Amino acid sequence: MTGYAQAVCEPPAAGGDEAPARPAGRAAAAVELRSVNSRFLDLALRMPDELRGLEPGLRELLTQSLRRGKVELRLSTQQQADGAWPQPQPEQLLRLAQLESTVATWLPRAQPLSVNEVLQWCRGSQTAPRLDEAVMHAARQAVDGLLEARAREGARLVQVLLERCAHLRTLATQAAPLLPQVVQRQQQRFLERWNEALGQAGAAASLTATQLAERALNEAAAYAIRIDVAEELARLNAHLDEITRLLQAGGEVGKRLDFLIQELHREANTLGSKSAALELTTISVEMKVAIEQMREQVQNLE
């Protein structure tokens, strides 16, 4: 099923609570999810190398929430566009001064840090420690949004499938009364041929006219048994009933619907192979078209 969702989340404040306002220069985690149709679950994760350690957790989150679809997750960090630099904290500057003093002791010719370098270091040290929590929180929000989008599409697909089921029922109803008419026409055809044969044989054959007529009726009865599609139509209606029940019940029905669509296709093929009239052939073709349309949509359902 197709769907799209995105979420942006900031790391929690150092004290553990979410900051009421965005600190200047603070990073945020952005997660984008795209899903297209696929019979199986195919995950593709795009993320910065420094966040690759989160890939197992993200995969577990996706596999627990999704069953089908080609899903692409894009993870990035966004620097807040406040136009302001981070406010260095005293403990950061103290730590940086200690590091610079150590470097100067061992490397007297090393250049002192510039203001820009100090601010860049402070910015990185502020956002890095707790960015993992923001990533997972944003991923959960994006998954929830994707599920909502897929649910809306699923509701539309259910309506389409129910319409196709109704169309197939109509076609089956049209096919049922055609069979006696086909048998009757064929029986009449047999009788006409036997009468023609008797007329050509002359009066000598008149003694066996009753026997030949009985044979014609037997041939017609055997023909009727051979082209009888009542069982196929009954099974087709039973499959349609089960498909309707599954669609109305909801839940994870994609795999079961796949199997039922195969059974529908088998019954339509049998109906076509037994067809002895143009009307039944036309109905069989229309059934196959509708079933194929259902197959394409069912592969999108989870």
Side-chain angles (χ1 to χ4, degrees):
M1 297 176 62
T2 59
Y4 174 83
Q6 63 176 346
V8 179
C9 183
E10 297 178 4
D17 298 328
E18 197 71 25
R22 292 181 176 179
R26 193 174 180 185
V31 175
E32 183 180 20
L33 284 175
R34 299 174 183 268
S35 173
V36 296
N37 299 327
S38 178
R39 292 184 62 189
F40 307 100
L41 182 60
D42 183 9
L43 301 179
L45 277 64
R46 309 282 187 265
M47 62 179 66
D49 291 338
E50 61 269 18
L51 296 175
R52 279 291 168 185
L54 298 176
E55 182 171 347
L58 292 172
R59 285 187 177 275
E60 181 180 1
L61 175 64
L62 294 174
T63 53
Q64 289 177 349
S65 305
L66 308 172
R67 294 296 180 269
R68 274 184 168 187
K70 186 175 183 180
V71 182
E72 180 182 10
L73 182 147
R74 289 184 176 272
L75 170 61
S76 61
T77 56
Q78 299 178 347
Q79 199 70 28
Q80 306 299 344
D82 297 316
W85 288 90
Q87 181 66 36
Q89 301 298 315
E91 58 273 12
Q92 291 178 319
L93 296 177
L94 177 61
R95 176 60 177 162
L96 194 57
Q98 293 173 347
L99 293 173
E100 184 179 25
S101 176
T102 302
V103 171
T105 300
W106 291 93
L107 300 172
R109 296 184 180 181
Q111 296 294 325
L113 293 173
S114 65
V115 174
N116 180 66
E117 291 171 338
V118 171
L119 292 177
Q120 291 286 2
W121 187 86
C122 291
R123 170 184 291 174
S125 63
Q126 281 180 348
T127 59
R130 310 195 68 183
L131 189 58
D132 292 3
E133 299 179 25
V135 169
M136 296 306 298
H137 186 63
R140 285 189 287 269
Q141 290 181 339
V143 168
D144 291 341
L146 182 64
L147 291 176
E148 292 177 1
R150 287 163 62 118
R152 289 192 295 270
E153 184 189 10
R156 292 191 293 268
L157 292 180
V158 166
Q159 294 303 317
V160 172
L161 290 173
L162 290 176
E163 292 175 2
R164 294 293 183 273
C165 287
H167 181 54
L168 286 172
R169 291 182 193 278
T170 301
L171 292 174
T173 303
Q174 294 174 358
L178 291 177
L179 195 59
Q181 300 175 14
V182 173
V183 173
Q184 185 177 4
R185 287 202 301 265
Q186 191 64 26
Q187 181 179 349
Q188 185 64 31
R189 222 176 268 125
F190 280 143
L191 291 174
E192 291 174 357
R193 290 176 182 175
W194 287 116
N195 289 332
E196 182 180 353
L198 288 175
Q200 294 176 355
S206 61
L207 297 177
T208 61
T210 303
Q211 297 175 354
L212 294 177
E214 290 179 356
R215 183 175 179 182
L217 294 175
N218 290 335
E219 291 287 345
Y223 176 79
I225 295 174
R226 191 166 60 251
I227 68 170
D228 185 23
V229 293
E231 292 184 7
E232 286 75 11
L233 293 177
R235 286 195 294 266
L236 187 140
N237 281 314
H239 297 328
L240 292 175
D241 290 340
E242 181 63 12
I243 290 174
T244 302
R245 186 190 69 80
L246 290 174
L247 291 174
Q248 293 175 346
E252 296 180 12
V253 298
K255 300 293 178 64
R256 283 178 286 180
L257 289 177
D258 275 341
F259 172 75
L260 290 171
I261 292 298
Q262 293 176 5
E263 295 302 308
L264 284 178
H265 200 272
R266 182 178 292 108
E267 304 304 338
N269 276 336
T270 306
L271 178 64
S273 64
K274 288 186 175 182
S275 176
L278 180 60
E279 298 91 335
L280 286 174
T281 302
T282 302
I283 289 176
S284 174
V285 172
E286 290 187 21
M287 281 184 173
K288 291 179 183 179
V289 172
I291 292 170
E292 189 60 32
Q293 292 172 344
M294 293 179 68
R295 184 198 303 276
E296 294 176 358
Q297 299 298 341
V298 163
Q299 291 179 356
N300 302 335
L301 286 177
E302 182 172 314

